[in-house]
Amino acid sequence: MSTFIVVSDGMDKEIFKQLQGVENFEVFPEAKISQEKLQELLPKIEGLVIRSATTVTADLLEKAPNLKYVIRAGEGTDNIDKKSCEQKGVKVSNTPGANNNSAAEHAIALMMTTLRKTAWAHNTMANGGWDKSKYTGVELADKKVGIVGFGRIGQIVAKRLAGFDPKVKFYDPFIEKSDLPYATKAKDLNEIFETCDVISIHTPLMDATKGLVNKELLSKIQPHAILVNAARGGIVDEQALHDCLKNKSFRAAGFDVFATEPLEENSPLRKLDNIVLTPHLGASTEEAQVRVGEMAVHQMKEFFINNNLLNEVKA
Ligand code: NAD
Ligand code: MLT
């Protein structure tokens, strides 16, 4: 008897072929399928691989009585109703570490483009312009960088910044110290928002971090400072962010993630001239997609063939 596997979001093509080649697996022949197709396949699915586009809800689980295992090919599992999975006996895993470097580099890319205005300058050039004075930027070197959430990605960001001779302040309720000589723990979030030149968010989205960066904290950011979020939408209050940027209460922002994704076509954030937006690209590198795919295939095989559950994420 073969096990029916569906990859409902994007996956590296070669890795997808490897999954299709696994004996005893019947893999639906396309990855990244439509919602309608997913609904149609649900009654048969036993193993499901997702990224951030598919949301595993209680309703989806109701319609998937044969589902035994969901793999989040990535880090954040906020798009999976883990409590309902637990109640239904559906196991959940992610692929920790596989895309962390890419996410960290993307946060740094957002810092650089926001500080040096390269994305906005490109828009002008693409429209025939040549405007040097409008795009005078500021350096990243020697700046005080505040990192909110000093886990795997936050720490990689701090490490990769070394060449910029930064002073790093981090805030994380569960981490006391850093091995990096230039990184010290802030006494609280206020210290980060009141004193840092660059602030980068790296916490997961969960009850405790939903709306964590609220109107009050945003209002503490210094006028010359910038804010970057390549972690999750919903951590930063988007309405308050919009108002601060519109009023130029701080310099600029770089955002990869949004409370609703895709970001609404008419979102007022799209109209601002001091935010750089990317469509959840943090993990979208060739290297990260190979790594997350390889881990997902290995974990799927271990679960269904060797009865071995790796990297379980509990509710
Ligand atoms: P991690 O679990 O290693 O680190 C998260 C850290 O946040 C932990 O150290 C934790 O103690 C800390 N934290 C928890 N609550 C906090 C709070 N209230 N204030 C400050 N810190 C708090 O996770 P990670 O691998 O570093 O990934 C972080 C998040 O980045 C993921 O959960 C995911 O949402 C996001 N991510 C985004 C992309 C992307 O494509 N943009 C890619 C990968 C990961
Ligand atoms: C993650 O949490 O790993 C990110 O959302 C990356 C992704 O899968 O696109």
Side-chain angles (χ1 to χ4, degrees):
M1 273 282 283
S2 54
T3 305
F4 187 57
I5 312 281
V6 170
V7 179
S8 60
D9 297 334
M11 182 183 255
D12 177 86
K13 281 197 180 69
E14 288 307 311
I15 307 290
F16 185 61
K17 276 192 206 149
Q18 285 175 24
L19 182 66
Q20 288 179 301
V22 177
E23 213 182 323
N24 295 333
F25 282 0
E26 179 197 344
V27 180
F28 184 71
E30 288 158 46
K32 204 171 178 190
I33 57 176
S34 65
Q35 277 308 305
E36 292 71 38
K37 187 42 101 186
L38 177 62
Q39 292 293 323
E40 190 187 312
L41 297 173
L42 281 178
K44 235 184 114 185
I45 297 180
E46 294 171 273
L48 177 65
V49 183
I50 65 168
R51 273 182 69 190
S52 57
T54 301
T55 305
V56 176
T57 58
D59 179 57
L60 180 149
L61 293 168
E62 259 332 296
K63 295 173 182 156
N66 292 307
L67 184 61
K68 294 175 190 64
Y69 190 30
V70 178
I71 299 184
R72 167 65 163 97
E75 189 69 47
T77 55
D78 48 280
N79 54 333
I80 301 175
D81 180 344
K82 294 181 282 296
K83 265 206 184 95
S84 297
C85 284
E86 200 170 278
Q87 282 159 8
K88 293 263 172 206
V90 174
K91 299 295 183 192
V92 176
S93 293
N94 65 352
T95 61
N99 64 24
N100 290 348
N101 186 62
S102 292
E105 287 186 6
H106 194 67
I108 294 171
L110 286 173
M111 289 174 197
M112 285 308 296
T113 191
T114 304
L115 290 168
R116 296 303 303 269
K117 306 187 176 174
T118 47
W120 304 311
H122 169 80
N123 283 346
T124 305
M125 294 285 285
N127 288 312
W130 179 273
D131 198 341
K132 266 175 84 108
S133 54
K134 191 170 171 195
Y135 298 114
T136 302
V138 281
E139 291 184 348
L140 178 56
D142 283 326
K143 294 294 183 293
K144 193 191 261 191
V145 179
I147 298 184
V148 180
F150 206 58
R152 285 173 290 226
I153 297 174
Q155 292 186 37
I156 296 172
V157 169
K159 195 171 157 196
R160 299 276 180 268
L161 285 174
F164 289 93
D165 298 327
K167 292 166 220 51
V168 169
K169 281 267 167 204
F170 66 88
Y171 175 75
D172 191 307
F174 304 103
I175 298 196
E176 289 310 313
K177 271 203 195 141
S178 165
D179 293 337
L180 300 169
Y182 52 85
T184 51
K185 182 162 177 160
K187 72 174 187 307
D188 55 23
L189 268 182
N190 286 336
E191 185 182 340
I192 300 266
F193 282 77
E194 282 166 2
T195 67
C196 289
D197 308 306
V198 173
I199 300 164
S200 196
I201 311 296
H202 297 287
T203 69
L205 176 66
M206 49 193 187
D207 288 347
T209 59
K210 201 166 185 188
L212 179 74
V213 182
N214 56 19
K215 193 174 171 178
E216 196 190 331
L217 273 182
L218 289 167
S219 71
K220 294 185 172 167
I221 300 179
Q222 300 180 84
H224 70 271
I226 64 159
L227 175 69
V228 165
N229 184 8
R232 270 298 176 276
I235 299 169
V236 178
D237 176 337
E238 281 177 8
Q239 179 63 53
L241 170 75
H242 171 268
D243 296 347
C244 287
L245 290 173
K246 179 111 189 141
N247 301 330
K248 315 263 189 249
S249 79
F250 59 91
R251 186 190 294 271
F255 268 59
D256 185 46
V257 286
F258 307 92
T260 303
E261 293 185 3
L263 180 66
E264 297 92 342
E265 217 178 310
N266 59 357
S267 164
L269 290 177
R270 293 182 189 264
K271 305 272 174 326
L272 296 167
D273 61 4
N274 51 355
I275 187 166
V276 175
L277 306 167
T278 53
H280 203 141
L281 290 183
S284 295
T285 61
E286 292 170 12
E287 294 88 344
Q289 285 317 300
V290 168
R291 286 192 297 261
V292 293
E294 281 173 347
M295 279 179 83
V297 172
H298 176 65
Q299 289 173 196
M300 200 54 98
K301 283 180 4 195
E302 281 298 303
F303 183 78
F304 284 110
I305 299 169
N306 295 329
N307 200 19
N308 181 22
L309 175 60
L310 296 171
N311 296 318
E312 182 177 17
V313 181
K314 291 210 181 259

